[in-house]
Amino acid sequence: MVSTQPSSFTAAVEAAEKLVQPQNSQSFSDPFSIVSHEMSNLAKSISNLIGSGHPVLNRVSSYYFEAEGKNVRPLIVLLLAKSLSQIPLEQRNRIKIDSLDVTDQKPFSGTPSQTVVAGKSVDDSLSPLSILYGINPKVILDPLSKPMDRLPEFDAMNGILPKQRRLAEIVEMIHTATLLHDDVIDSSDSRRGRPSGNIAFTNKMAILAGDFLLGRASVAIARLRNPEVIELLSTTIANLVEGEFMQLKNTVIDPAAENSIDNDGESKTVPEPSGKVPTKTHEYTVTKPVDFDHETNVNAAFEYYLHKTYLKTASLMSKSSRAAAVLSGAQSDIIDNCYEFGRNLGLCFQIVDDMLDYTSSDSAFGKPSQADLKLGLATAPILFAWKERPEIGDLIARKFSQEGDVELARKQVEECDGLEKTREMAKLYCQKALDNLRVLPESDSRSALEFLTNSVLTRKK
């Protein structure tokens, strides 16, 4: 059920960032305070991982971390980590856990002289620094080798493992990299209440800074030294790109889009493949016949929309949630439910975001509102309206490109209760996420996750 508490999503996240130190075994007046130290130091910790030898690159890369973001992804990882720590150690034996989060991974060649990779800290490199950086080791700038803020007593009390804390930082780095790229793609002019990276610096610098963040994140991922987690997080990066491509062209309802791409409002023909390299076709890229019945077309569009939403938003939440569970040593059923929790919460989050695009002002949203229709995107509100009024399909097919299309689409959404139906869809995923959390022991941290999940539905930005 939706929380009846007056606190909004923003208030919930702000509560998580309060600098409140827990006191031994005393109960927490605010369940979010149990990860307050990690959240309040998140930007500082990430800045230690980003550093390069070029001051302007440092400036662009850290630009979005300076602003007040929701930070919901690392918050989920940290609260899950704390919740998972409530499971007795004897029930968390899928991998071996110690102070360095050691797995049962074997040495590279099995020879006694080699070091077990999994037994290293997240701050230790796998290769010599002179090889990684190719310069004089005496002048090497290696931000990833700086010791993280350990605070062993605090960690022991919180139950959050060092690798789980690093996981939270990695997740926010990946997310921020996608924001830099997305703002260039969408020609956005604001983000988090101030000029977007592409406006403040340039498109080229924003793209390069996003690439740099992904590079730094990839090194940090490798140093987690858990093959399963490396696979999960690396896959999210590919998912994000695939989801962006799905958003660029809606091939389900636009038969011509498979052979063309939009280039700043103009259609550009895609070069034909030479045949030298096999080109695999995803089921969602198979152009649907235009004479399908209306219900089939609408259902296909919703399926496409939800899969795109998973790739762009829910993939990072779901796979990072699963990674947090893997690192905890939890059993498979717990790991699976953590993944499903992140998936359902991610879908709920983005569906609400698509709804807010219709209802929020620019100042409240922190980025341009009413942007989806202007970008030609068919999200849940207009799809629900199309379900009732087949003629809307023409607007969707031409991506609301003609004069008056955006205003007409908004009117149709209002008349067909598209926003309320979208909210009901978000509620469904919210409830599924809450059900997934019930596999975890009752605790303040689980209550915090439940509160956060409910507050997604009531957020205003």
Side-chain angles (χ1 to χ4, degrees):
M1 296 178 62
V2 179
S3 173
T4 57
Q5 299 185 50
S7 300
S8 64
F9 176 80
T10 301
V13 174
E14 287 176 351
E17 296 173 347
K18 290 179 181 177
L19 191 57
V20 180
Q21 294 292 340
Q23 299 295 326
N24 299 322
S25 60
Q26 295 180 5
S27 61
F28 300 99
S29 58
D30 180 352
F32 287 88
S33 68
I34 55 182
V35 293
S36 60
H37 172 79
E38 287 83 356
M39 290 301 297
S40 62
N41 285 277
L42 180 70
K44 177 183 175 182
S45 298
I46 291 175
S47 68
N48 289 335
L49 300 179
I50 293 175
S52 80
H54 198 292
V56 179
L57 177 55
N58 288 336
R59 182 76 187 92
V60 187
S61 301
S62 61
Y63 182 65
Y64 280 167
F65 297 111
E66 298 172 350
E68 292 293 330
K70 292 184 280 288
N71 294 330
V72 65
R73 291 156 186 82
L75 178 59
I76 290 169
V77 170
L78 293 169
L79 288 175
L80 263 181
K82 177 62 178 173
S83 298
L84 290 159
S85 72
Q86 303 303 307
I87 302 174
L89 276 174
E90 58 269 20
Q91 298 176 27
R92 289 192 284 133
N93 56 6
R94 186 171 177 267
I95 62 173
K96 182 181 177 182
I97 302 295
D98 67 9
S99 60
L100 294 177
D101 312 329
V102 178
T103 71
D104 292 327
Q105 184 178 344
K106 304 300 182 184
F108 282 131
S109 66
T111 59
S113 61
Q114 283 197 301
T115 302
V116 177
V117 177
K120 293 280 191 176
S121 162
V122 292
D123 299 317
D124 295 329
S125 65
L126 284 79
S127 303
L129 296 184
S130 58
I131 292 177
L132 291 179
Y133 291 89
I135 56 177
N136 187 339
K138 294 181 180 180
V139 297
I140 284 175
L141 175 67
D142 183 31
L144 287 165
S145 290
K146 294 178 181 178
M148 70 189 307
D149 181 16
R150 297 180 185 280
L151 292 180
E153 294 181 3
F154 192 97
D155 280 336
M157 188 180 356
N158 259 11
I160 297 174
L161 299 169
K163 288 185 180 178
Q164 290 172 322
R165 274 214 273 161
R166 180 53 52 84
L167 172 64
E169 296 161 8
I170 291 169
V171 167
E172 189 63 12
M173 290 170 71
I174 294 174
H175 172 61
T176 303
T178 66
L179 296 184
L180 284 163
H181 288 161
D182 285 353
D183 285 344
V184 173
I185 293 170
D186 298 339
S187 299
S188 300
D189 56 14
S190 64
R191 169 73 64 178
R192 295 176 177 173
R194 64 177 185 168
S196 54
N198 50 305
I199 297 298
F201 299 96
T202 61
N203 282 345
K204 290 181 180 180
M205 286 190 177
I207 291 172
L208 290 171
D211 292 345
F212 181 72
L213 281 176
L214 291 176
R216 283 285 193 239
S218 296
V219 176
I221 290 170
R223 291 183 185 177
L224 292 176
R225 292 173 167 84
N226 183 296
E228 187 174 358
V229 173
I230 293 170
E231 182 179 61
L232 286 168
L233 295 181
S234 299
T235 303
T236 64
I237 298 175
N239 289 157
L240 290 163
V241 176
E242 186 180 359
E244 190 62 44
F245 263 79
M246 288 185 72
Q247 180 164 292
L248 286 173
K249 54 179 186 175
N250 194 344
T251 55
V252 170
I253 57 174
D254 184 357
E258 182 60 22
N259 299 313
S260 65
I261 54 177
D262 181 73
N263 183 33
D264 294 330
E266 296 182 2
S267 180
K268 182 178 178 63
T269 302
V270 176
E272 291 291 332
S274 65
K276 292 182 178 179
V277 178
T279 304
K280 294 183 178 180
T281 302
H282 192 287
E283 62 175 304
Y284 288 109
T285 64
V286 177
T287 303
K288 309 294 183 181
V290 295
D291 57 352
F292 268 28
D293 65 87
H294 176 61
E295 183 178 359
T296 300
N297 282 331
V298 172
N299 290 340
F302 266 110
E303 187 179 358
Y304 187 96
Y305 165 72
L306 288 173
H307 186 61
K308 177 204 71 177
T309 299
Y310 169 77
L311 292 172
K312 277 183 61 67
T313 303
S315 171
L316 185 56
M317 288 188 183
S318 61
K319 289 185 173 70
S320 61
S321 296
R322 184 179 180 90
V326 169
L327 292 171
S328 77
Q331 296 302 311
S332 295
D333 63 324
I334 301 293
I335 292 173
D336 290 343
N337 272 281
C338 285
Y339 169 79
E340 290 296 331
F341 164 73
R343 177 184 182 276
N344 290 318
L345 181 60
L347 290 172
C348 176
F349 187 93
Q350 186 58 52
I351 291 169
V352 170
D353 210 59
D354 294 339
M355 183 176 63
L356 289 175
D357 188 70
Y358 281 77
T359 61
S360 297
S361 64
D362 289 7
S363 58
F365 209 23
K367 57 184 178 181
S369 58
Q370 293 86 50
D372 288 344
L373 288 174
K374 295 174 184 177
L375 290 171
L377 304 181
T379 56
I382 192 64
L383 292 180
F384 276 116
W386 182 38
K387 189 173 184 178
E388 290 190 17
R389 300 183 178 179
E391 63 271 18
I392 295 178
D394 293 335
L395 277 69
I396 296 174
R398 62 177 181 252
K399 297 184 177 181
F400 319 104
S401 58
Q402 295 184 10
E403 186 175 351
D405 279 359
V406 170
E407 292 74 18
L408 178 58
R410 289 180 58 81
K411 181 180 179 182
Q412 299 278 26
V413 167
E414 182 179 352
E415 292 177 352
C416 297
D417 293 326
L419 293 178
E420 184 56 36
K421 292 171 183 175
T422 300
R423 184 179 294 278
E424 290 301 316
M425 175 185 272
K427 285 182 181 179
L428 176 65
Y429 286 107
C430 176
Q431 186 56 55
K432 287 181 178 180
L434 292 172
D435 292 341
N436 295 132
L437 288 175
R438 294 199 176 101
V439 302
L440 300 173
E442 291 188 14
S443 64
D444 285 341
S445 47
R446 195 187 89 171
S447 297
L449 282 169
E450 292 169 343
F451 178 51
L452 178 65
T453 300
N454 279 319
S455 66
V456 166
L457 289 172
T458 59
R459 68 190 182 97
K460 302 301 181 185
K461 65 177 182 178

